[in-house]
Amino acid sequence: MVLKVFLCLTKQLETDIKILLEKADISLKKYKMHMVVANELLTRKDEVVVVTSNEKISVCHYKTQVGDVVENPLIRFIAERHSVYFEKTNL
């Protein structure tokens, strides 16, 4: 039996977006993660950037929905990527 692991994320918080994305790329490689959630201090409640080995995806909350926070679409995004990962590895 082969154990398949989806190493999901580490989290980075920074005030400068350039430094933030550099640190996220470093963490991705250093810890061998599949993705890193990068939070810019000023926009952390509204938007995060998910950094993977080949892309940077902005995830925002829906401002039209009362009480919605960025964590809701972030969780959906991560869960979707998790499912896709395991579908690909089961082929």
Side-chain angles (χ1 to χ4, degrees), residues 18-77:
K18 184 179 177 194
I19 294 170
L20 173 67
L21 295 176
E22 287 173 2
K23 285 184 174 182
D25 282 329
I26 290 167
S27 290
L28 196 66
K29 294 172 183 127
K30 181 178 181 179
Y31 300 111
K32 297 180 173 91
M33 296 280 119
H34 288 97
M35 63 180 62
V36 173
V37 176
N39 300 302
E40 187 177 5
L41 186 60
L42 296 175
T43 60
R44 71 189 182 282
K45 294 181 181 180
D46 299 317
E47 178 182 15
V48 297
V49 178
V50 177
V51 179
T52 69
S53 60
N54 58 358
E55 59 188 337
K56 292 171 179 51
I57 305 107
S58 178
V59 178
C60 303
H61 75 90
Y62 303 106
K63 294 180 181 181
T64 57
Q65 295 180 357
V66 177
D68 194 26
V69 292
V70 73
E71 286 84 355
N72 293 338
L74 179 60
I75 291 167
R76 285 190 294 273
F77 176 81

